[in-house]
Amino acid sequence: MGRLWKWVRGAEHDAERRGTFSEDLPIGSSREDLLGRGEFARALAGVLSRYRGRESLVVALRGEWGSGKTSIKNLIVETLSARGESPMKVVNFNPWQWGTDEAITRAFFREIAAALGDGGQSLEARARAYEFRRYAKLLEQFSGGIKAAGKQVLDHATWLAGLGLLVAGGVIALEPAAKVLAGLLIGLGVVTLVVSRMLGFIFRDREDARPLDIARARLEKRLQTLPQNILVVVDDIDRLEPEQIRTVIRHIKANASLPGLTYLLLYQRAVIERAFDGGTPGDGRKYLEKVVQTAFDVPVVEGARIGNIVLSELNKLTAALPTDPAFDQTRWGNLWHGGMKHFFRNLRDAKRFIGGVEVQLTLHREPRGLETNLIDTVALEALRLFEPDVYAAVAQSKAFITGTHDRRDTDKEKVKAVVAAASAENKQAVQYIVSKIFPVVDWAFGAPWHGPDWEREWSSRRQICSRQYFDRYFALRVPDGRMSESEFLDFVEHSNDRGYIDRAFADLAKRNLLPEILSRIEQAANAGTLPIARADALVPALFDVAEPLTGDLLGLAERVPFISAWCAVSWYLKGDANLDHRGETFLRALRTSDSLAVPATLISLDIDRREKGDTDLLMTDVQLDAAKAAWVAKLRAALERAPETMIQNPHFVSYLYRWRDFADLSGPREWVASAVTQPNLLPKFLKAFVQTGQAWTLGDYVSHPMVNFQLGNVMSFADLPALVALVRALPQDIEASERAACDQFLKAAEKHLDESASAGEVVGTPPAPDAVCEGTSEEAADPPLPKEDATPD
């Protein structure tokens, strides 16, 4: 799979990927510099290391969040640390880690003092650190904190004394114990008041004993002995609260006139300026200009370079995936250049995206590959990260944006609303992406409509626009009622082994996944991905697994399983371009299998094609005649061998009509005439013509069962008066459902006989075969001939 990305990326990237969740960290060395910022970092490091002025140098590196400020800082530090025998000492100070203003202040001076002390290795270094700490204490106005504590004590004293007076004033009529409590509170208040006065006296303006300018002069003298400046790097200033931002900048401003210190400040300019704006916009910028001597902006990285990094990392992620025939290089190229590449503005965007894609591929991966379409998975992850409102709208719009069912022009506004959730800066890119992964959205914006045949192609490629696969992209697992792609590929790989196929079908039936596998086989046959060489094992297996199925939907299936079975065989065999060869394959399967339902359907379809002049046949004329004869012989043998079982087959009535169509009417009529004379078979025979459905009455919220007896179908194969007499002669104590079928038959037959007698008609004559076969009468309910290209909406 990794090779598939080369065409758009241009070249392999040899570096091995690191773990997903470390990718958003800043780089630590020049070996990781993918954006070519090393030259800029080295130039800036040279400026910082060469400076040796009488005052501090304050340099700012400005950039948006995620633009790479910290990565450039790390490259600068790496450069400074490698400068010969005397590397420049660096203090990394991150105020965001300390929280409160007081903690930030203490940490700021402590970190610088530690660097000045040089680890305690020399007397001069320890002296510098000592002078800086003393200066810092004065600057922090330590005594001011003590005096603030004295003020707090004074406030507490006033509160206690007041409380004592309040209690004393309200307990004149109370017990002596309460009066004692009042006296104690007043006394405690007086003592506290005296203590507060003493604290104020003891710590009165102690800084006056050592003026700040004297301490500063001594410190400057010590700092001038430094062999080179110390670099103080202050990062993440823009993450602080405005008051904390002002605290940090004021400390730097207050110390900017000291020699021996160079400051490198990293921040987002707009955030810092707003913290100092006050009531007049622009004040913040003017204030910073007084603090920062030189400011640099993070170099802009061209979008193509970020895009190449994204594609390089995607290539590494997909290298381990099996080759996917559903991958469409043109489709991917259009999505990337038309929309996706516009999302990536910095390296953080790229890293967040790659980390997200790796998680998605891990969640959707099975041993044989992805459960989803790779291109759609990547595109959807881009929407999730960069346009979460659009992602949420997509997740909630399955009914509008999937499938190929008919839509009105008024639906276009609902579809367009999905794209309307995009941000203004990304709206064009989002519209392109969503339109390309959801053709219905493309239609809403003016593209041609996609017909029903497209649904099969989308499903075969596991695309998100397929109703069958849509939920997998959001559930992050194979939904209930669905089988994994790996399990299906295992099935296809072993589809030349009839024993394996039968075991697989039995297991899937227990898990209620039979409709799913039949639908998947149909899609694969339609897409031409089932090897035709395996037809001798797979086709008869499909005949057998479909035999007990009815024409009803099952479970979560979006297609009737029986229809999926015969469509799958039809598409599969037509994958062999040789008409004679595929006809022989069908005949072999027919003779191998004991099942009749699917072969009968396919034979009937080939008869129908000839009547319509269609040349897309399943078999030759000679093979068709042989198939009809073989099918009738197998039906006769089955009816002779197990008549009761055959009558209970859900396709029994259809078999009688197919017998008529493939041979003549005399055969089924003779067999019915013999079978209904047997009391154990007659009730079961009539039960086969009972049709149960659901009906709704106006005003009801739920349906109710509706039972209809298909008298017209019975009359096609039996003499009605004779059959009525045989039913009336049956004992009453037969099985309840069979008794009900007999009663329904008698009711319908007697009504028909009475109406015929009144009209002077001859009773007992079956309806014309064509009228019955068309299924236009409520009583003549033989289903019309299925269409091979019939597909569910």
Side-chain angles (χ1 to χ4, degrees):
M1 176 62 69
R3 295 189 301 273
L4 298 173
W5 299 102
K6 291 182 184 178
W7 72 277
V8 69
R9 188 170 61 88
E12 281 286 350
H13 193 285
D14 295 330
E16 188 174 326
R17 288 199 76 254
R18 296 181 297 170
T20 298
F21 297 106
S22 66
E23 284 297 317
D24 197 29
L25 295 176
I27 64 173
S29 70
S30 55
R31 294 191 304 273
E32 305 170 64
D33 180 22
L34 302 178
L35 301 180
R37 290 171 166 175
E39 185 175 350
F40 171 78
R42 287 188 291 273
L44 187 51
V47 172
L48 297 174
S49 65
R50 287 192 297 269
Y51 178 79
R52 186 65 176 157
R54 298 181 59 183
E55 295 183 346
S56 299
L57 173 66
V58 182
V59 177
L61 180 60
R62 305 177 303 196
E64 300 295 315
W65 288 337
S67 61
K69 298 185 297 295
T70 304
S71 294
I72 293 175
K73 179 263 293 185
N74 289 343
L75 294 176
I76 292 172
V77 172
E78 179 187 43
T79 302
L80 296 175
S81 301
R83 287 182 177 270
E85 299 180 356
S86 58
M88 188 176 187
K89 188 175 296 185
V90 178
V91 176
N92 280 296
F93 177 64
N94 192 320
W96 189 58
Q97 299 174 345
W98 298 101
T100 66
D101 289 1
E102 186 178 352
I104 289 172
T105 299
R106 287 198 304 266
F108 178 80
F109 290 116
R110 183 174 63 246
E111 295 295 325
I112 297 176
L116 290 171
D118 194 27
Q121 296 301 314
S122 69
L123 180 61
E124 183 62 34
R126 291 199 299 271
R128 284 194 301 266
Y130 173 78
E131 292 296 342
F132 189 83
R133 290 191 183 97
R134 292 192 60 127
Y135 170 72
K137 287 181 180 180
L138 290 173
L139 202 61
E140 291 181 68
Q141 296 182 345
F142 176 74
S143 63
I146 299 296
K147 286 189 287 186
K151 183 179 182 303
Q152 282 188 323
V153 174
L154 177 60
D155 291 340
H156 294 158
T158 304
W159 181 82
L160 288 170
L163 179 60
L165 290 173
L166 179 63
V167 174
V171 297
I172 295 174
L174 298 179
E175 297 296 327
K179 295 180 179 180
V180 172
L181 174 61
L184 289 174
L185 288 173
I186 293 172
L188 184 58
V190 172
V191 172
T192 305
L193 180 61
V194 172
V195 171
S196 70
R197 296 299 184 185
M198 292 176 62
L199 287 172
F201 175 79
I202 294 171
F203 295 102
R204 67 190 186 285
D205 297 327
R206 290 189 61 189
E207 63 271 25
D208 294 341
R210 182 177 177 82
L212 184 61
D213 56 350
I214 296 177
R216 184 183 185 90
R218 292 175 64 98
L219 176 60
E220 289 179 357
K221 186 176 180 180
R222 292 291 185 183
L223 291 177
Q224 289 171 357
T225 64
L226 282 168
Q228 62 177 332
N229 280 19
I230 292 176
L231 177 63
V232 181
V233 179
V234 187
D235 199 355
D236 288 333
I237 308 175
D238 45 17
R239 295 192 181 190
L240 300 172
E241 296 296 328
E243 182 57 39
Q244 295 172 335
I245 291 174
R246 289 191 287 268
T247 297
V248 172
I249 299 299
R250 284 167 182 164
H251 284 324
I252 295 170
K253 184 176 183 295
N255 293 280
S257 60
L258 291 174
L261 297 176
T262 298
Y263 294 92
L264 177 61
L265 313 182
L266 281 63
Y267 57 75
Q268 186 176 357
R269 188 181 69 180
V271 175
I272 306 302
E273 289 179 356
R274 279 198 303 269
F276 289 95
D277 270 348
T280 306
D283 286 351
R285 179 172 299 183
K286 294 176 182 177
Y287 182 86
L288 285 176
E289 289 174 353
K290 297 177 181 179
V291 179
V292 178
Q293 288 98 321
T294 305
F296 297 94
D297 293 307
V298 172
V300 176
V301 179
E302 64 275 20
R305 179 170 291 194
I306 298 291
N308 285 339
I309 291 172
V310 173
L311 294 173
S312 174
E313 293 300 308
L314 285 175
N315 183 60
K316 296 171 191 175
L317 283 178
T318 58
L321 294 177
T323 300
D324 187 354
F327 185 85
D328 184 337
Q329 292 182 346
T330 301
R331 182 168 179 257
W332 163 249
N334 289 337
L335 266 173
W336 173 257
H337 292 291
M340 282 184 57
K341 72 178 184 181
H342 300 290
F343 287 139
F344 303 101
R345 297 174 174 87
N346 54 56
L347 193 57
R348 176 169 292 176
D349 290 341
K351 291 179 177 180
R352 288 175 57 219
F353 173 70
I354 291 300
V357 169
E358 183 167 4
V359 172
Q360 296 297 331
L361 297 186
T362 300
L363 290 170
H364 291 298
R365 183 174 181 177
E366 293 288 336
R368 286 184 171 270
L370 291 183
E371 292 298 313
T372 53
N373 182 279
L374 175 60
I375 296 173
D376 289 2
T377 301
V378 172
L380 188 66
E381 181 62 13
L383 293 177
R384 189 187 72 83
L385 283 176
F386 303 114
E387 289 292 337
D389 291 340
V390 175
Y391 176 85
V394 167
Q396 298 169 9
S397 302
K398 178 180 180 180
F400 296 125
I401 61 177
T402 62
T404 59
H405 53 280
D406 291 337
R407 292 175 176 83
R408 300 180 295 273
D409 284 343
T410 54
D411 293 332
K412 289 185 177 180
E413 295 308 313
K414 298 178 182 178
V415 176
K416 289 180 179 179
V418 175
V419 176
S423 62
E425 61 180 344
N426 289 332
K427 188 172 289 292
Q428 185 174 354
V430 167
Q431 179 178 328
Y432 189 89
I433 292 171
V434 177
S435 295
K436 294 310 174 187
I437 63 176
F438 292 102
V440 172
V441 177
D442 209 16
W443 162 78
F445 285 97
W449 178 252
H450 288 73
D453 289 346
W454 282 92
E455 174 66 29
R456 286 195 291 264
E457 182 174 344
W458 297 337
S459 296
S460 69
R461 295 178 178 177
R462 309 183 304 283
Q463 290 180 219
I464 190 174
C465 59
S466 166
R467 298 178 67 84
Q468 179 179 344
Y469 281 89
F470 179 87
D471 294 329
R472 297 195 187 193
Y473 287 82
F474 301 96
L476 304 183
R477 63 179 180 85
V478 179
D480 294 338
R482 304 295 189 192
M483 68 184 301
S484 71
E485 187 70 14
S486 288
E487 186 174 11
F488 178 68
L489 292 176
D490 282 339
F491 178 89
V492 173
E493 182 176 318
H494 295 87
S495 58
N496 60 339
D497 182 345
R498 178 59 193 268
Y500 178 91
I501 295 173
D502 290 342
R503 290 191 298 273
F505 278 151
D507 176 66
L508 291 165
K510 290 179 182 178
R511 295 156 52 197
N512 297 318
L513 290 177
L514 198 55
E516 170 77 0
I517 182 66
L518 292 176
S519 178
R520 297 290 298 276
I521 293 173
E522 179 192 358
Q523 293 167 11
N526 179 255
T529 56
L530 287 179
I532 193 65
R534 299 172 184 177
D536 284 338
L538 185 55
V539 172
L542 287 170
F543 288 174
D544 292 345
V545 77
E547 186 68 14
L549 300 178
T550 65
D552 299 325
L553 281 169
L554 300 176
L556 298 178
E558 296 179 357
R559 188 160 174 80
V560 176
F562 179 75
I563 294 179
S564 292
W566 67 255
C567 282
V569 175
S570 180
W571 289 118
Y572 186 27
L573 293 179
K574 286 187 177 181
D576 187 341
N578 187 306
L579 177 63
D580 186 71
H581 187 266
R582 68 185 181 220
E584 287 300 322
T585 302
F586 175 80
L587 285 173
R588 285 197 301 272
L590 174 62
R591 292 164 181 150
T592 302
S593 170
D594 291 330
S595 300
L596 299 166
V598 170
T601 301
L602 297 178
I603 293 170
S604 295
L605 286 169
D606 233 36
I607 294 173
D608 187 57
R609 290 190 198 98
R610 284 170 169 79
E611 293 175 353
K612 295 178 179 178
D614 189 349
T615 58
D616 185 22
L617 303 176
L618 184 64
M619 61 193 90
T620 66
D621 292 345
V622 173
Q623 291 167 340
L624 178 63
D625 290 338
K628 291 190 290 185
W631 189 91
V632 170
K634 291 175 75 70
L635 176 62
R636 283 182 175 276
L639 290 170
E640 181 68 26
R641 182 173 61 252
E644 186 170 329
T645 300
M646 288 299 297
I647 290 173
Q648 294 174 330
N649 187 298
H651 305 281
F652 170 69
V653 176
S654 175
Y655 288 165
L656 295 179
Y657 280 103
R658 302 307 181 209
W659 189 355
R660 179 203 66 181
D661 295 340
F662 298 167
D664 55 46
L665 185 59
S666 62
R669 285 185 65 85
E670 289 174 3
W671 183 87
V672 169
S674 172
V676 297
T677 61
Q678 303 178 47
N680 65 314
L681 296 182
L682 177 55
K684 295 177 174 59
F685 174 82
L686 294 175
K687 186 178 177 181
F689 293 86
V690 175
Q691 184 180 48
T692 301
Q694 297 291 321
W696 283 264
T697 302
L698 186 64
D700 289 343
Y701 288 99
V702 295
S703 63
H704 59 273
M706 181 186 67
V707 179
N708 178 44
F709 190 86
Q710 300 172 334
L711 184 64
N713 289 342
V714 174
M715 292 171 60
S716 297
F717 304 103
D719 179 78
L720 190 58
L723 192 58
V724 169
L726 289 170
V727 174
R728 287 174 175 167
L730 288 172
Q732 294 296 313
D733 58 347
I734 60 177
E735 194 269 332
S737 63
E738 295 176 359
R739 178 74 267 170
C742 292
D743 292 343
Q744 291 161 4
F745 162 75
L746 289 175
K747 181 179 178 180
E750 289 168 354
K751 178 182 177 182
H752 176 78
L753 291 172
D754 290 343
E755 291 174 351
S756 298
S758 300
E761 297 176 0
V762 178
V763 299
T765 302
D770 289 342
V772 175
C773 187
E774 289 300 322
T776 56
S777 167
E778 288 186 1
E779 294 182 341
D782 181 40
L785 209 58
K787 297 179 180 179
E788 184 174 7
D789 60 351
T791 56
D793 188 11

